[in-house]
Amino acid sequence: MKQDMIVILDLGSTKNTDLARQIRNLGVYSEIHPHDITLEELKHLQNVKGIVLNGGENRVVNGAPVDVHPELYQFGCPVLAIDHPAARCEKKLDTLPDEDALKEFVFDICQAKANWNMKNFIADQIEQIRRQVGDGKVLLALSGGVDSSVVAALLIRAIGKQLVCVHVNHGLMRKNESESVIEVFQNQLCANLIYVDATDRFLGKLEGVADPEQKRKIIGGEFIRVFEEEARKLEGIDFLGQGTIYPDIIESGTKTAQTVKSHHNVGGLPEDLKFDLVEPLKQLFKDEVRACGLELGLPSSMVYRQPFPGPGLGVRCLGAITRERLNAVRESDAILREEFERAGLDHKVWQYFTVVPDFKSVGVKNHARCFDYMVILRAINTTDAMSATIERVDWDVLQRITDRILTEVEHVNRVCYDMSPKPPATIEFE
């Protein structure tokens, strides 16, 4: 079933995602697009029942207020303007509408139907994937995380054996992560999986690189190079599947919002990319991705697996990466995960991990002065990864984790707990 859609055009609001979720919660699909979308581009979107011009504090760019192309007002569907006085429409609001006002616009004025659900979304995406890919083959980076696993399941449902999965061990994986991916996907699920150990290659490229954005771009670019090399060994690979989700896109910057951070699957792609991208999850929030995975029949243990960034431990080994600190991150992260599972926090807390900064502090070990690194613990809760709160971990649990890290992890003499919510902090440190 084709889903009716309300299109949100970003004219400087910081609440685009809030509005999109409000509309989706009413059972109507909503997508966010840039303010300068053309009439032809709008016509290519299917079942558009209404348009929201979502203005806000960022609607002035380079000294001039942003607006839509004038011909969009002639598209033929109702238009709602929010905090955008220049808009030409029948109905204007100063702030985001409450539920009753939104229902009036979506259902009474736009006559949209509440047919947004995962079953229909999956059906639509399968049709789009088949139309895009045809009889071609798709190469997919299968990390074993939630996003790549759901993309894999969706692509398998859509194109079956036309999907080739590649797991790249870039040396920045969590402890025993690659072994787990091979066991689950190759041995249990019988996926067409190619394993590539590129540890030395990635760490060599990252040697001495301290800037977070540069690290992300190097990791993302090198991933593509590895895929290109693997693709040359295969026949008919024209497409690259990616687990891009909406928070990745919005945090990588829009035309009216600054970049928070570049994501490896958004801002780190090289200009000479030789694949067409297949990104069926790019309009979903994280909780919707999980719901999609469950609808596709993936086990809950996989769907609710700990989120893990594409650059892996590379953005948790802060500054220039060294093997010594990388090992400290990996081992301390394993201890944290073991103790959270033991305390029953593994299903309660949305994301938890450790980071190791690139500076040392004085301490005492074995009755002698030492100069070693610190480990920072982070545990947060969120629904859509756009904002997050801190988990109030029991003191005894924190003490047990601290004791184990200080005893079992080399070159560490301090353990700290990060109390910063998002915003102003982000989930990751880099």
Side-chain angles (χ1 to χ4, degrees), residues 30-100:
S30 178
E31 285 188 1
I32 303 168
H33 289 273
H35 70 279
D36 57 357
I37 187 173
T38 66
L39 181 59
E40 286 303 310
E41 290 171 333
L42 188 61
K43 288 179 177 179
H44 276 92
L45 301 178
Q46 297 184 355
N47 288 28
V48 176
K49 297 297 183 179
I51 299 173
V52 179
L53 309 182
N54 204 23
E57 55 266 50
N58 296 323
R59 66 172 177 265
V60 176
V61 177
N62 296 327
V66 298
D67 202 352
V68 298
H69 291 294
E71 61 266 24
L72 259 64
Y73 292 110
Q74 309 303 319
F75 179 67
C77 68
V79 177
L80 169 65
I82 301 174
D83 194 12
H84 190 65
R88 289 178 285 162
C89 59
E90 295 173 348
K91 189 173 181 64
K92 297 183 181 181
L93 297 174
D94 294 327
T95 61
L96 288 183
D98 59 22
E99 185 174 352
D100 289 339

Side-chain angles (χ1 to χ4, degrees), residues 179-405:
E179 293 83 352
S180 175
V181 169
I182 293 171
E183 171 61 27
V184 171
F185 289 96
Q186 183 169 284
N187 299 343
Q188 296 181 20
L189 300 182
C190 301
N192 183 10
L193 178 65
I194 297 172
Y195 173 73
V196 181
D197 187 351
T199 299
D200 292 338
R201 174 174 174 172
F202 274 82
L203 295 185
K205 292 280 187 179
L206 291 165
E207 186 174 357
V209 179
D211 180 72
E213 283 295 284
Q214 190 177 359
K215 286 200 298 186
R216 285 178 177 272
K217 291 182 185 299
I218 288 173
I219 294 169
E222 203 61 24
F223 255 105
I224 300 301
R225 301 303 174 217
V226 172
F227 290 146
E228 286 178 336
E229 291 170 11
E230 293 303 318
R232 282 195 289 269
K233 302 174 186 177
L234 303 168
E235 293 183 0
I237 299 292
D238 299 312
F239 299 92
L240 178 65
Q242 290 205 127
T244 309
I245 64 175
Y246 188 71
D248 296 341
I249 295 173
I250 196 66
E251 288 191 337
S252 293
T254 66
K255 294 176 181 177
T256 58
Q258 294 182 341
T259 298
V260 176
K261 58 185 177 184
S262 292
H263 286 256
H264 75 289
N265 49 5
V266 179
L269 297 175
E271 295 182 359
D272 59 343
L273 180 68
K274 293 181 173 61
F275 301 111
D276 290 330
L277 297 182
V278 180
E279 302 173 293
L281 307 181
K282 65 181 179 181
Q283 291 291 344
L284 295 187
F285 296 99
K286 195 71 174 189
D287 58 317
E288 294 171 334
V289 174
R290 297 186 194 279
C292 182
L294 293 175
E295 181 67 30
L296 287 165
L298 292 176
S300 60
S301 59
M302 182 180 296
V303 170
Y304 288 97
R305 191 173 187 173
Q306 266 287 293
F308 194 54
L313 300 182
V315 292
R316 296 176 182 174
C317 183
L318 307 185
I321 297 170
T322 66
R323 291 180 185 260
E324 182 178 80
R325 286 192 300 111
L326 187 59
N327 182 69
V329 176
R330 183 175 289 115
E331 294 298 324
S332 61
D333 176 80
I335 291 172
L336 177 64
R337 287 188 286 130
E338 288 173 9
E339 293 299 332
F340 264 41
E341 182 178 3
R342 177 181 174 187
L345 295 172
D346 54 329
H347 291 299
K348 179 187 177 186
V349 182
W350 188 82
Q351 188 170 16
Y352 45 94
F353 55 89
T354 66
V355 299
V356 176
D358 58 346
F359 60 85
K360 296 181 178 181
S361 66
V362 68
V364 178
K365 274 192 174 183
N366 300 321
H367 308 290
R369 181 181 184 277
C370 65
F371 203 53
D372 282 329
Y373 299 106
M374 71 169 63
V375 169
I376 302 174
L377 312 178
R378 185 148 175 78
I380 58 96
N381 290 307
T382 182
T383 57
D384 58 13
M386 299 303 296
S387 62
T389 58
I390 304 305
E391 175 67 20
R392 296 176 179 268
V393 181
D394 183 80
W395 187 263
D396 290 339
V397 176
L398 285 176
Q399 187 66 63
R400 189 163 58 245
I401 294 169
T402 298
D403 290 343
R404 284 195 60 190
I405 289 175

